């Protein structure tokens, strides 16, 4: 889903990287600001939020859908993208889709790679 759709109005700290909240991960609002700044870079096509596979499960009826990761389409290198997310207490950045490319995912422009920011 889009960055704005996921983060606007979201004040549930456990909705993304819940294991790192209180362990150094910035607030949801700060994360939104950081990813918004990344999305505004000229070498970034789009930033998307990957929802957890069980986001529609009955255990989350009142909660914000849980996110699994963030996808950054960029012409930058993996190391550069890793620098952009420094301080977000993530477990790393990797090229590609961790669970396979979703059929409705936008295609990256020529010269762009999909990078996934992930948390445990």
């Amino acid at each position: 889903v889009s960055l704005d759709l996921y983060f606007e109005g979201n004040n549930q700290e456990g909705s993304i990287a819940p294991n790192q909240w209180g362990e150094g991960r910035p607030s949801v609002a700060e994360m939104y600001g950081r990813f918004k700044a990344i999305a505004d870079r000229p070498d970034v096509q789009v930033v998307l939020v990957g929802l957890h596979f069980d986001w529609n499960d009955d255990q989350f009826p009142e909660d914000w859908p849980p996110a699994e990761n963030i996808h950054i389409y960029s012409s930058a290198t993996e190391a550069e993208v890793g620098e952009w997310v420094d301080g977000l207490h993530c477990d790393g950045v990797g090229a590609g889709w961790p669970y396979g490319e979703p059929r409705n995912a936008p295609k990256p422009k020529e010269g762009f790679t999909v990078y996934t920011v992930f948390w445990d």
Side-chain angles (χ1 to χ4, degrees), residues 15-32:
S15 64
I16 185 167
N19 296 341
Q20 284 77 14
W21 177 239
E23 302 293 327
R25 193 210 81 200
S27 70
V28 168
E30 291 174 78
M31 291 178 73
Y32 182 33

Side-chain angles (χ1 to χ4, degrees), residues 84-116:
W84 301 345
V85 299
D86 187 44
L88 293 178
H89 213 65
C90 67
D91 292 323
V93 173
W97 299 96
Y99 306 112
E101 181 180 350
R103 66 177 175 262
N104 60 346
K107 299 296 180 208
K109 295 190 286 189
E110 186 173 332
F112 282 65
T113 300
V114 175
Y115 296 104
T116 298

Side-chain angles (χ1 to χ4, degrees), residues 53-111:
F53 69 90
D54 63 358
W55 72 270
N56 201 27
D57 192 283
D58 288 341
Q59 70 178 339
F60 302 110
E62 306 289 325
D63 294 338
W64 206 263
E68 180 84 15
N69 42 47
I70 303 287
H71 306 289
I72 301 171
Y73 291 47
S74 180
S75 59
T77 66
E78 187 173 322
E80 290 171 313
V81 174
E83 291 174 11
W84 301 345
V85 299
D86 187 44
L88 293 178
H89 213 65
C90 67
D91 292 323
V93 173
W97 299 96
Y99 306 112
E101 181 180 350
R103 66 177 175 262
N104 60 346
K107 299 296 180 208
K109 295 190 286 189
E110 186 173 332

Side-chain angles (χ1 to χ4, degrees), residues 28-45:
V28 168
E30 291 174 78
M31 291 178 73
Y32 182 33
R34 288 280 303 275
F35 283 115
K36 196 93 159 127
I38 291 169
D40 290 340
R41 295 178 55 92
D43 53 354
V44 171
Q45 177 182 339

